[in-house]
Amino acid sequence: DVLFVSVQPDIAFLRWQGLVFVRNFIDRGVRPPQVALVWALGPGAAESKAVGALRRAGCRVRRYADDRPATAARDYTGSIRLYVMAKFVRDFRDELARKRVFYHDADIVFPRALPRVLREAAFPDRRARTATQLADATSSA
């Protein structure tokens, strides 16, 4: 089973992109529980309505507070991603060790179908006879 993971700050433009790619994934046969949306909330911020809607649609939604030091590059939205991803991996390390993870940005859309390598990995019941490996971050070779 593939887990499609996106890590984004909870800002309007990226929420919209999340809604678009989730709809696209579902249209391509990806089940909502295969989609993990990890959101970074600003200090003291509440979850947006759009993020709540993604949760109600069946996607796996996880929120983390941006509790980096005040000296962090907060104006650059990309600076939060690794920080929040590290929290997500820490919280779900056992599950993630058993799954294939497709980490992607919010501006991803598959116009016709999932690429073959993702299709074979995401739908094991329809898998080709050969094994598929998206990436191996555990090998030292």
Side-chain angles (χ1 to χ4, degrees), residues 23-64:
R23 177 77 259 163
N24 176 251
F25 284 8
I26 291 169
D27 288 348
R28 302 297 170 256
V30 175
R31 297 178 324 275
Q34 287 180 275
V35 180
L37 297 116
V38 183
W39 299 96
L41 299 176
E47 179 179 278
S48 66
K49 290 179 183 178
V51 170
L54 288 163
R55 178 182 286 110
R56 287 187 302 280
C59 295
R60 296 178 55 172
V61 174
R62 185 73 179 178
R63 321 174 279 160
Y64 292 98

Side-chain angles (χ1 to χ4, degrees), residues 4-24:
F4 296 80
V5 178
S6 176
V7 179
Q8 308 299 331
D10 188 359
I11 59 176
F13 180 65
L14 295 172
R15 288 190 299 264
W16 172 78
Q17 283 189 329
L19 291 166
V20 169
F21 79 69
V22 166
R23 177 77 259 163
N24 176 251

Side-chain angles (χ1 to χ4, degrees), residues 4-5 7 20 42 46 53-54 61 93 98 102 110 118 130 134:
F4 296 80
V5 178
V7 179
V20 169
L54 288 163
V61 174
R93 81 176 126 250
R98 295 185 311 270
F102 178 65
F110 299 111
L118 279 175
T130 58
L134 300 178

Side-chain angles (χ1 to χ4, degrees), residues 69-134:
T71 57
R74 293 184 186 274
D75 292 337
Y76 173 59
T77 61
S79 71
I80 186 63
R81 289 187 176 125
L82 287 177
Y83 182 76
V84 172
M85 181 62 139
K87 290 182 175 192
F88 179 73
V89 169
R90 179 197 64 217
D91 289 351
F92 296 94
R93 81 176 126 250
D94 293 337
E95 177 189 2
L96 294 173
R98 295 185 311 270
K99 290 194 179 273
R100 297 173 188 209
V101 175
F102 178 65
Y103 175 74
H104 58 87
D105 206 353
D107 60 356
I108 188 169
V109 173
F110 299 111
R112 292 182 187 88
L114 292 177
R116 182 174 162 243
V117 67
L118 279 175
R119 200 170 48 246
E120 291 175 359
F123 308 118
D125 54 329
R126 293 181 252 164
R127 183 186 243 162
R129 293 178 192 210
T130 58
T132 302
Q133 183 146 345
L134 300 178

